[in-house]
Amino acid sequence: MSSSSAARALSPAPPAPTPPRRVRPARCAGFVGPAVESATPGARAATLASSRGGTDSSLAICRVLNGMWQTSGGWGRIDRADAVDAMLAYADAGLSTFDMADHYGPAEDLYGMFINKVRRERPPKMLEEVRGLTKWVPPPVKMTRSFVEENINRSRKRMDVAALDMLQFHWWDYANPGYLDALKHITDLKEEGKIKTVALTNFDTERLQIILENGIPIVSNQVQHSIVDMRPQKKMAELCELTGVKLITYGTVMGGLLSEKFLDTNINIPFAGPPLNTPSLQKYKRMIDAWGGWSLFQALLQTLKKVSLKHGVPISTVAVRYILNQTSVAGSMVGVRLGLSEHIRDTNAILSLLLDKEDMGSITEASQRGRNLMEVIGDCGDEYRA
């Protein structure tokens, strides 16, 4: 044997390559069992429940919901196959609760395609974790049993489910008491197994109380809620505390305005700042104007930036976590532009972020420098009924 061959024989074998580390997603687990207190630090899931109207009903949801308003147009063209693949990516990352509506373009159809792909390509456990929450926004016509059932069946067919996980009901005109008729028919459909839980969207405190007094088993009310728009923490939160109804919030990052992108900008000067080129940016800019204007909003962003740097997360993550820390809030919406962009990592960071007393205090102080929007706009949902 040559000296070189002997050396090779005596040399230790090179170490085997280290296999890539698989990062297990932190799932919104715990869907079977006791309710999770919404404000528990680090809780990924919350259970919405009601014992009114006959049988008990409950539904566990991820505390950060994937909002699908962006499928309705105005944010870019949606490719259906890409959108479904994106929904799978969110679910694989543990973000398995999706919120949509009958009028969000193809949202319910996309959910139907997605849930079928989950059935075919994922373990049964994921199917147990996925949630599809939809809304019904009817015209102000007579709410007969047949009309209500026809519309519920349409959503069930589009979403390809035997029972809707949650139906969130909206009503445009309180002067028309037909909303109580509709909700009684919806409750009957729940008792028949076509709906698992009954909820509201954009109802005010007065009407929520009337609905509860009529024995409707409401588990939640979906309302606009952000550091700028703290109206739900006025009258609504008090009723929630008394009744056990929880809030699901949208507009919590104000369409992206609560982010680094808009820090140190002046959009009041044409072409000087990022364009307000989506329906949500335009909508929530009007909220900022009502609250106190762009200069005051910049001061709020500066406060949020200090907190975000302290924790190593984006401003938007801090903004959502602050709202999730409100005891009346079970979950907050983060909009998803399916197939166009994704923010899975930042969204998951919301669920692990712990804000301390100093953080919460500084954000509250910055928020309270603006106007009280209860006095400017009215209670939850009044912006749609002015």
Side-chain angles (χ1 to χ4, degrees):
M1 179 184 294
S2 68
S3 59
S4 61
S5 298
R8 285 196 297 272
L10 295 172
S11 299
T18 303
R21 183 170 65 92
R22 285 182 60 84
V23 179
R24 292 178 61 83
R27 313 204 65 78
C28 289
F31 280 2
V32 179
V36 177
E37 175 59 40
S38 298
T40 301
R44 294 185 61 87
T47 299
L48 309 170
S50 172
S51 58
R52 299 175 190 85
T55 60
D56 290 352
S57 59
S58 65
L59 185 75
I61 62 168
C62 188
R63 295 206 66 205
V64 177
L65 299 86
N66 306 311
M68 295 177 66
W69 182 30
Q70 284 80 354
T71 65
S72 61
W75 286 266
R77 183 180 174 275
I78 294 290
D79 179 273
R80 293 196 173 203
D82 290 345
V84 170
D85 287 343
M87 293 174 76
L88 274 175
Y90 275 90
D92 285 338
L95 300 166
S96 53
T97 300
F98 295 85
D99 179 89
M100 65 212 81
D102 61 337
H103 62 289
Y104 287 3
E108 290 185 336
D109 300 306
L110 291 173
Y111 184 85
M113 295 166 63
F114 157 73
I115 202 68
N116 269 301
K117 202 161 187 177
V118 171
R119 289 168 183 148
R120 294 192 310 267
E121 301 179 7
R122 294 297 187 272
K125 181 174 176 56
M126 179 178 284
L127 192 59
E128 295 172 6
E129 295 177 357
V130 169
R131 301 287 184 265
L133 285 52
T134 195
K135 306 179 193 75
W136 182 39
V137 184
V141 298
K142 186 174 179 59
M143 293 290 114
T144 63
R145 160 74 189 222
S146 60
F147 181 76
V148 173
E149 186 170 18
E150 177 186 348
N151 281 274
I152 300 314
N153 285 342
R154 184 179 297 116
S155 288
R156 291 170 59 222
K157 182 177 180 180
R158 292 179 70 191
M159 296 173 69
D160 199 11
V161 293
L164 301 177
D165 287 328
M166 177 185 287
L167 182 72
Q168 302 167 99
F169 177 72
H170 175 89
W171 191 252
W172 292 108
D173 183 9
Y174 294 144
N176 179 346
Y179 65 89
L180 288 173
D181 297 326
L183 284 165
K184 287 172 182 175
H185 294 314
I186 289 168
T187 301
D188 289 341
L189 291 169
K190 172 190 170 298
E191 297 300 316
E192 294 168 20
K194 294 186 175 183
I195 300 168
K196 294 180 183 177
T197 52
V198 179
L200 303 173
T201 181
N202 292 315
F203 271 79
D204 65 8
T205 309
E206 180 183 347
R207 254 55 61 159
L208 172 57
Q209 183 162 357
I210 290 171
I211 290 165
L212 294 173
E213 288 171 351
N214 275 267
I216 307 298
I218 300 299
V219 298
S220 63
N221 186 20
Q222 186 177 137
V223 295
Q224 182 173 293
H225 194 359
S226 69
I227 296 172
V228 166
D229 186 0
M230 294 294 291
R231 288 176 297 156
Q233 293 307 311
K234 309 298 182 182
K235 294 165 62 178
M236 183 66 67
E238 183 179 350
L239 182 59
C240 289
E241 178 69 24
L242 291 171
T243 61
V245 172
K246 290 293 185 181
L247 300 178
I248 296 175
T249 74
Y250 67 88
T252 308
V253 295
M254 304 189 74
L257 287 167
L258 285 168
S259 69
E260 285 80 2
K261 181 177 181 180
F262 290 91
L263 178 64
D264 296 327
T265 64
N266 186 355
I267 62 171
N268 294 319
I269 301 174
F271 309 109
L276 302 180
N277 56 1
T278 69
S280 53
L281 285 171
Q282 294 158 15
K283 172 183 179 179
Y284 295 116
K285 169 57 167 60
R286 293 192 292 271
M287 280 290 155
I288 290 170
D289 293 340
W291 173 73
W294 195 252
S295 295
L296 194 60
F297 183 66
Q298 286 299 307
L300 173 61
L301 286 179
Q302 291 287 355
T303 297
L304 292 172
K305 184 61 179 177
K306 289 177 184 176
V307 176
S308 74
L309 290 172
K310 172 180 171 180
H311 294 279
V313 296
I315 285 174
S316 57
T317 298
V318 175
V320 179
R321 184 72 250 181
Y322 179 86
I323 297 302
L324 282 177
N325 282 3
Q326 311 303 313
T327 57
S328 56
V329 175
S332 290
M333 207 85 58
V334 174
V336 289
R337 299 177 68 176
L338 298 171
L340 300 174
S341 62
E342 62 90 1
H343 304 282
I344 291 174
R345 182 174 180 178
D346 291 343
T347 302
N348 257 323
I350 297 166
L351 293 164
S352 56
L353 176 62
L354 298 177
L355 298 178
D356 60 31
K357 186 176 181 180
E358 180 184 3
D359 300 329
M360 293 294 291
S362 65
I363 296 169
T364 298
E365 182 182 355
S367 171
Q368 290 177 346
R369 291 177 193 146
R371 298 187 188 99
N372 179 356
L373 292 184
M374 279 284 286
E375 298 174 357
V376 179
I377 299 172
D379 202 357
C380 299
D382 282 357
E383 61 270 28
Y384 299 105
R385 300 177 179 90

